[in-house]
Amino acid sequence: MVMRSAPLMGWKNVSTGSDAEKHMPITRICVQVQQGSVYGVRDKLPNGQSYYYFKGVPYAKAPVGALRFKSPAPLEKFAVSYLDCTRERSNCLGLDVLTKEISGSEDGLFLNIYTPKLGKRDDPEPLPVMVFIHGGGLIGGHGDSSLYLPNYLVQEGVIVVTLNYRLGVLGFLCLPDAGIEGNAGLKDQRAALRWISENIGVFGGDASNVTLFGASSGAIAVNFHCLSPESKRYFHKAILQSGSIYTEFAFQEQPEEKARRLAKLLGHSPTTDGEVYEVLRAAPARKLFELQPLVLTEREKAVERLFQIPFLPVIERSDSPDALITRHPTDILSEPNSMDIPIILGYNERDGMMVLIDAIKTLAAYNAEPERFIPRTVALDYFSPEARALGEEIREFYFGARPVCRDTLNQLTDVFTDKYLLAYRMTVELWARHQRRSKFFGYRFAFDGLLNKGKAIMSLGTMKGAAHIDEVYYLFSSPLLRTEVPETDRAYGLRKTMVRLWSNFARYGEPTPAQPAPDPVVPFRWEPQPNVPDSQDVPLLCLNITNDGIAMAEMPEKRRMNFWAGLFERFNGKLANVKLPLISSAHADAPDLNNNTL
């Protein structure tokens, strides 16, 4: 999860060199898109070559007033003849997942385009396009260049687009009987993909070769789009970095009831969902964000504060007019060859390290309430004696007879990490058994170096290993985090390797394609996950990226994953039969699939 501002005094730990942008822009340039003319800037890449950027380009109407909570409305024409896109505009209103600070604007649907060349008529060699979805728990974050400057990716000859989308209650309120189907934030992303498909040609891009990628909750969003036929009209490959639809905080619980509680907290007593909608639509946007924590369910209050996120995606009702997803993801992934695009999916060896920020304050609670270790995707009543017994079993597996304390923080980190790894394991299982036409490339990021900014931001630099989002700044630069490192440092070499792998995948659908001559930047072969019949175990193979080298290997955490696979088979029937909430039907006699009763 990526933040807006410096949490825990962490920014003082992130400097490694000089500022990434030392000079002023050189030349302004104008490009014509369907909505009008936009001014951008010609600038220099780190290798001295020219590139162009266009920032703060609106891709939909401002979602304010009558458009609040609704699906994004197309923008037919800019309000001015020539739109200045030389700098970013406002971010979407959001809540920093670490500092809990609120910032941004309700008018924030903008994207940024970075390209090594501009388009020309009948261009015989349009460039691959990479569209990045930022993280932040789907409640905060932004896609601006202060955190996501893609200059090293652009040097590889690809176009990179970053974007902002609605967050929190504004992006994920769900009240279907009032016409609010949910997932507006994901539909913003889909609208951006549609805009890119229609306009990227004038920036030199190939609309038929688009790769969607994201990190943390951005990867969760990418996963939703991979399962959505409508979204897949606009992209052709996907990369998911430390995030999956099977992560336990990917779905919203009791969405309709949360909307009703929010209206009551505003001092109203609506009797219909239509009245609830009118109350929420008229309320100040910042007030809605301030009240969000007060609508958490009892189960959500029991998780670490970092993951207490009330408004998240939903599986929409089948009659939703512009639904993004209406079926359980396992049903989709279990259909033979339903995934017709190649993907890269990976995890960081210590993804759960960031949870220590909250957990270290309440270590005794894990001894008194071991059920806190149980993912929400397990089909078990959290408040039951059976949950307490399962929690004891999990604690014994990781800690043995030792208590949860400061001396066992590594084991505690393993528990939190495995909630990410479990989501990876589930996807591998389904892909290997059911998806035989599209390639799946898995990776494990375990490199510990100067560009591991996630750990530095969270003031966890003394802990060993690669933490959550530590891989991100081997792909992006950040003037704010000062991500320039000496060419003699190993982090510099790994950045060259990472951007080559990602851009190769965007260009060819293979991170290590066959080349006429060996590529010294990627002197290894990244093999796809093999398919297996139901009678065989799935081999857990991945590209293992470590300080000792990069090579294919069996997932080192296999023993821990087998433990969790056994638990899910015991309580859920099968590994990927995760418990997910659905939207309740409008019919009074229909089953309440989303547990909307109090």
Side-chain angles (χ1 to χ4, degrees), residues 265-321:
L265 287 169
L266 288 164
H268 296 265
S269 300
T271 58
T272 67
D273 282 354
E275 293 176 359
V276 170
Y277 165 67
E278 291 299 331
V279 168
L280 300 182
R281 188 175 66 84
R286 189 179 182 90
K287 186 66 175 179
L288 294 176
F289 260 80
E290 291 172 351
L291 293 174
Q292 284 181 114
L294 301 181
V295 303
L296 290 164
T297 67
E298 293 304 311
R299 178 66 180 94
E300 289 168 338
K301 293 175 184 176
V303 303
E304 290 70 29
R305 186 166 176 258
L306 185 69
F307 296 131
Q308 291 180 358
I309 304 172
F311 293 96
L312 290 164
V314 296
I315 297 177
E316 297 175 53
R317 299 192 298 190
S318 58
D319 59 354
S320 173

Side-chain angles (χ1 to χ4, degrees), residues 61 93 110 151 174 235 290 338 341 529 593:
K61 290 182 180 178
L93 192 68
F110 304 106
N151 49 0
C174 178
F235 70 98
E290 291 172 351
S338 58
I341 60 173
Q529 173 69 38
L593 298 175

Side-chain angles (χ1 to χ4, degrees), residues 159-177:
I159 295 175
V160 179
V161 182
T162 64
L163 59 99
N164 297 330
Y165 54 94
R166 277 175 286 178
L167 303 160
V169 60
L170 296 177
F172 296 98
L173 186 88
C174 178
L175 201 60
D177 287 349

Side-chain angles (χ1 to χ4, degrees), residues 49-288:
Q49 295 180 352
S50 294
Y51 81 111
Y52 306 86
Y53 64 74
F54 300 81
K55 299 179 179 180
V57 181
Y59 63 83
K61 290 182 180 178
V64 298
L67 297 180
R68 178 186 282 184
F69 305 127
K70 294 190 175 181
S71 295
L75 180 65
E76 291 83 14
K77 188 177 181 180
F78 296 140
V80 296
S81 300
Y82 296 92
L83 188 65
D84 183 356
C85 293
T86 61
R87 63 184 63 191
E88 281 112 348
R89 290 180 166 78
S90 59
N91 303 322
C92 286
L93 192 68
L95 175 75
D96 190 301
V97 293
L98 291 180
T99 68
K100 305 305 179 184
E101 296 175 359
I102 299 171
S103 63
S105 165
E106 201 170 355
D107 179 8
L109 299 186
F110 304 106
L111 54 79
N112 312 303
I113 303 163
Y114 306 84
T115 176
K117 72 173 188 179
L118 297 177
K120 53 187 177 183
R121 188 181 301 275
D122 300 322
D123 189 344
E125 296 183 353
L127 300 176
V129 182
M130 301 184 71
V131 181
F132 181 72
I133 308 296
H134 70 76
L138 298 175
I139 194 172
H142 60 80
D144 288 356
S145 59
S146 60
L147 288 177
Y148 302 110
L149 180 65
N151 49 0
Y152 287 95
L153 283 166
V154 174
Q155 277 188 175
E156 294 292 316
V158 299
I159 295 175
V160 179
V161 182
T162 64
L163 59 99
N164 297 330
Y165 54 94
R166 277 175 286 178
L167 303 160
V169 60
L170 296 177
F172 296 98
L173 186 88
C174 178
L175 201 60
D177 287 349
I180 307 302
E181 302 290 345
N183 296 334
L186 298 179
K187 292 170 185 177
D188 291 342
Q189 298 165 11
R190 186 175 64 188
L193 286 168
R194 185 184 302 116
W195 190 97
I196 292 164
S197 179
E198 294 170 350
N199 289 289
I200 202 63
V202 300
F203 299 96
D206 184 355
S208 65
N209 188 9
V210 176
T211 298
L212 187 62
F213 72 125
S216 189
S217 59
I220 294 173
V222 171
N223 205 164
F224 273 99
H225 294 296
C226 288
L227 301 176
S228 173
E230 177 64 22
S231 292
K232 285 195 292 185
R233 293 173 56 192
Y234 307 112
F235 70 98
H236 316 91
K237 311 175 187 75
I239 303 173
L240 294 76
Q241 300 168 212
S242 291
S244 159
I245 207 165
Y246 291 117
T247 308
E248 66 169 330
F249 54 88
F251 289 90
Q252 182 178 171
E253 295 182 0
Q254 301 185 12
E256 293 138 308
E257 188 56 41
K258 284 177 178 173
R260 296 164 191 150
R261 291 177 196 164
L262 200 57
K264 292 178 181 178
L265 287 169
L266 288 164
H268 296 265
S269 300
T271 58
T272 67
D273 282 354
E275 293 176 359
V276 170
Y277 165 67
E278 291 299 331
V279 168
L280 300 182
R281 188 175 66 84
R286 189 179 182 90
K287 186 66 175 179
L288 294 176

